[in-house]
Amino acid sequence: MTNTHIHKRLNKKLLNLTLGLSIAIGGGSMLFTPDTTHAATATKTNTTTNTTATAAENSSIVNDIIATGKQYLGVEYKFGAKTTTTSVFDCSSFVQYIFKQHGIDLPRSSRQQAKVGTKVTKDQLQPGDLVFSDTNRDGVINHVSLYIGDDKLLQTYRVGVGVTVSKFSGSSWDKTFVTARHVITDDNTGNTGDNGNTDNSGDNGSIDDGNTGGNNENDGTIDDTQPEQSDDSTTPTQSSGNSGHYNRNR
């Protein structure tokens, strides 16, 4: 009898010990689980916050660039405008200048600018994207404009018009659209391309009403009797202040 009682007592102690360990382990898991879940949630929240902050920052930069560009509404167009002046612009010097004011360097010509950033289709255009057109219809990009939303472009073209806001849909730039580029990115730190500050380079002005006639090379006026000159032309111009060749690689 004594041995039986001893075994029963030992079995009871072992059972109690087993139950105690089970409760301790289970309770520990329950205690640690909420902290782990909270940590995962915090990480996800931080990621979302960072993404939102970056998007807001990019949006702010876009708005600032557009605002800067609008400060020059009415400034005259001049093919081959010097990059050191704001009294006249051609299309690519204008875009280069307003982006530069906000720490983003772009190449000098429209053809070079069309290689920067990521490609965007017309139906994906967002404010701040660059729109490139071939108004000569010769397969060569010769015009750049800035999409500012609401189907509008901020740009400069031809003498007598200058810096202006134009409707995109149905325009010459829409009909001769080649590509668009998204150049404002999360890691913009000041450089997005070569800064080709060539004073005597420039872009052909394009035509708002769908007319694809050329620019008179001497004064930028419309000449419907002849096509615009190719961007590859190196024929010297008669414009005052430039003794060299215009780089038509716009």
Side-chain angles (χ1 to χ4, degrees), residues 212-228:
T212 58
N215 282 345
N216 182 297
E217 196 170 343
N218 292 329
D219 60 10
T221 57
I222 302 302
D223 182 358
D224 290 334
T225 63
Q226 55 182 318
E228 290 182 343

Side-chain angles (χ1 to χ4, degrees), residues 79-85 90 108 196-202 242 246:
F79 174 78
K82 293 184 178 182
T83 59
T84 55
T85 183
D90 64 21
R108 175 60 180 86
N197 291 326
T198 304
D199 284 348
N200 61 353
S201 62
N242 282 316
Y246 275 154

Side-chain angles (χ1 to χ4, degrees), residues 28-224:
S29 298
M30 291 178 66
L31 288 173
F32 286 112
T33 300
D35 289 340
T36 304
T37 303
H38 177 72
T41 303
T43 301
K44 183 177 180 180
T45 301
N46 288 338
T47 301
T48 303
T49 301
N50 291 338
T51 301
T52 302
T54 300
E57 183 178 352
N58 287 348
S59 178
S60 176
I61 292 173
V62 169
N63 292 335
D64 289 345
I65 290 172
I66 293 172
T68 297
K70 286 184 174 181
Q71 291 177 7
Y72 296 95
L73 288 171
V75 171
E76 292 184 4
Y77 170 88
K78 180 181 180 181
F79 174 78
K82 293 184 178 182
T83 59
T84 55
T85 183
T86 58
S87 60
V88 290
F89 293 107
D90 64 21
C91 64
S92 57
S93 73
F94 174 65
V95 167
Q96 183 191 46
Y97 176 80
I98 62 176
F99 273 76
K100 176 68 174 177
Q101 302 317 297
H102 300 281
I104 300 175
D105 288 338
L106 294 174
R108 175 60 180 86
S109 74
S110 56
R111 276 204 286 178
Q112 292 168 339
Q113 291 171 2
K115 299 175 182 178
V116 175
T118 56
K119 185 177 180 180
V120 179
T121 61
K122 275 199 281 189
D123 60 355
Q124 295 175 326
L125 283 172
Q126 300 176 26
D129 291 342
L130 300 182
V131 176
F132 298 90
S133 305
D134 166 23
T135 60
N136 288 335
R137 302 175 189 266
D138 61 359
V140 177
I141 289 172
N142 70 334
H143 185 73
V144 58
S145 50
L146 175 66
Y147 186 74
I148 61 174
D150 297 325
D151 197 33
K152 299 291 179 58
L153 299 175
L154 178 61
Q155 61 180 341
T156 184
Y157 69 99
R158 96 174 168 185
V159 171
V161 178
V163 178
T164 188
V165 174
S166 313
K167 182 180 179 181
F168 178 51
S169 295
S171 68
S172 172
W173 310 288
D174 179 15
K175 294 174 182 177
T176 60
F177 175 88
V178 176
T179 187
R181 308 292 290 189
H182 185 68
V183 298
I184 301 174
T185 60
D186 298 348
D187 57 357
N188 275 140
T189 56
N191 255 342
T192 58
D194 296 328
N195 188 8
N197 291 326
T198 304
D199 284 348
N200 61 353
S201 62
D203 281 288
N204 288 325
S206 56
I207 304 162
D208 194 22
D209 57 7
N211 187 338
T212 58
N215 282 345
N216 182 297
E217 196 170 343
N218 292 329
D219 60 10
T221 57
I222 302 302
D223 182 358
D224 290 334

